[in-house]
Each structure stands twice: as C-alpha cells, then as structure tokens.
Amino acid sequence: MNKTKLFSLHNMTKIAILTAISAVIMLLEFPLPFAPSFYELDLSETVILMGGFAMGPMAAVMMELLKNILNLLMNGTITAGVGEFANFAMGCALVVPAAVIYKYKKTIKGAILALCVGVLSLVVVGAFVNYFIMIPAYVALAGFPLDAILGMAKEVNPLVGSLESMIVFAVMPFNLVKGIICSVLNLLLYKRLSKILHI
C-alpha cells in the first residue's frame, strides 16, 4: 500500500476504528502463572495483526502507536512510560514482520509463515527489550529495585534466580504464549472479517 492510499480518509477511518477496538481489548489483561504479576497478557495485537494484514505494515505501526497513546490517556502510567514503550516495541516486533510477509504472500501458507516469523521476532525482541531497556529503565525511572522485581518473579516461578533466568524462563515464554494466541485468533478471524476489513 503506498503512502497516499494509506493516508486516505477511508483507511484512516479503519485505522481509527481498529485502534479503538484494540485499546479497549488492551484493558482486559490477565496474568500467566509462570510470570510476575506486572506482566499481564492482553490480546490487542490480534486486532492490529488483522489491520496489518489488510492495510500493510505501516498501518500496523500506526495502530500500535495510537493504541499505546490511548491506553496512556485512559489509564495513565505507573512505569514512567516504560511499559507503554515496551508494549509498542514488542507489538511492532510481532505485527510488522507478519504484515510485511503477508503483503507478498497472501495465501494461508503465507499467513502461517508470516505469523510464525512474527512470533519468533516477538520472543527475540522481547528478550532484548526487557533485558537491556525495559527492566533497567523501570529500575531507574520508576524507582523499583531489581531485587524486588526478581523476588516477585521467583514467587511464581522458582526457576528465576537472576535477571537472565527471568528473561529465559518468564519473559520469553510469556511472549511466546501471547504471540501464539494472537496469531491463532488472527488466523481464525481474519478471513471471516476480511470483507469488512477490505471495504
């Protein structure tokens, strides 16, 4: 999709609607039993994946950005913006590769390949973002001690004993589960809703 078409009133309206739906879904968070409570799973990327498949990777990036701005306005932040940045970065890690591949391979096999690459990207990027950016920034900006973060993780997952083990045994599995669930939902819903998405 070229830039002119992306910024048409028609597509901007679809982006706005999908972003609003995604932002509402983002409010419905729940924890996973092996990850600390401050990692909560939401399925908002399902909607953005569908939008990315329908309108391309740039639309997906716009929706990720707008979704996090809306969430910030609705919920505020307790992480000095770190959580919102991490959600944007990791959301893009999932939806952008998937949307790029699907743009050129619009078949069921292409969709499966796109989503597998997106999930792998989410797991890898999520590990790096958490290790090098999110957790250090959370410690520095939110004033939350690293030992306390690791303690919360160890309470629910005895395999956690260090930041490295938290990334391997909590963060990576968390993002893997999130990526798989959002991808499967996208596969189940996209074709059923494609007529609406391509109006």
Side-chain angles (χ1 to χ4, degrees):
M1 180 179 293
N2 61 47
K3 188 178 289 189
T4 303
K5 190 174 180 183
L6 174 63
F7 288 102
S8 69
L9 178 61
H10 184 70
N11 279 326
M12 292 306 292
T13 301
K14 286 196 287 186
I15 286 170
I17 292 169
L18 291 172
T19 298
I21 294 169
S22 180
V24 170
I25 292 173
M26 192 179 181
L27 299 174
L28 307 173
E29 299 177 311
F30 54 93
L32 293 178
F34 54 80
S37 58
F38 51 85
Y39 286 105
E40 290 193 311
L41 181 68
D42 74 81
L43 303 177
S44 59
E45 264 66 54
T46 304
V47 178
I48 296 178
L49 276 169
M50 289 191 284
F53 273 25
M55 292 177 283
M58 286 305 299
V61 172
M62 289 176 62
M63 287 184 280
E64 279 291 345
L65 179 62
L66 292 170
K67 176 195 75 172
N68 279 285
I69 291 171
L70 277 175
N71 185 65
L72 198 58
L73 292 173
M74 289 189 292
N75 277 345
T77 181
I78 59 170
T79 62
V82 175
E84 290 72 27
F85 168 77
N87 187 279
F88 171 74
M90 290 183 282
C92 286
L94 172 64
V95 301
V96 171
V100 168
I101 293 171
Y102 188 73
K103 182 178 179 180
Y104 297 103
K105 293 183 179 290
K106 291 183 181 286
T107 63
I108 187 64
K109 287 183 180 178
I112 292 170
L113 172 64
L115 293 167
C116 286
V117 171
V119 172
L120 179 61
S121 172
L122 170 61
V123 171
V124 172
V125 171
F128 279 94
V129 166
N130 274 272
Y131 187 83
F132 291 106
I133 300 173
M134 183 181 170
I135 294 174
Y138 192 51
V139 170
L141 298 176
F144 209 73
L146 180 59
D147 287 346
I149 293 172
L150 295 176
M152 290 173 70
K154 192 173 179 60
E155 279 182 17
V156 295
N157 189 337
L159 295 172
V160 174
S162 64
L163 180 55
E164 291 80 3
S165 61
M166 178 176 156
I167 298 298
V168 172
F169 296 115
V171 174
M172 294 177 76
F174 178 91
N175 285 324
L176 180 63
V177 169
K178 176 174 181 170
I180 290 172
I181 293 174
C182 290
S183 296
V184 169
L185 288 172
N186 180 64
L187 280 176
L188 293 173
L189 296 172
Y190 179 70
K191 284 300 179 185
R192 289 178 171 85
L193 299 174
S194 61
K195 287 184 179 179
I196 298 171
L197 293 167
H198 291 281
I199 289 173

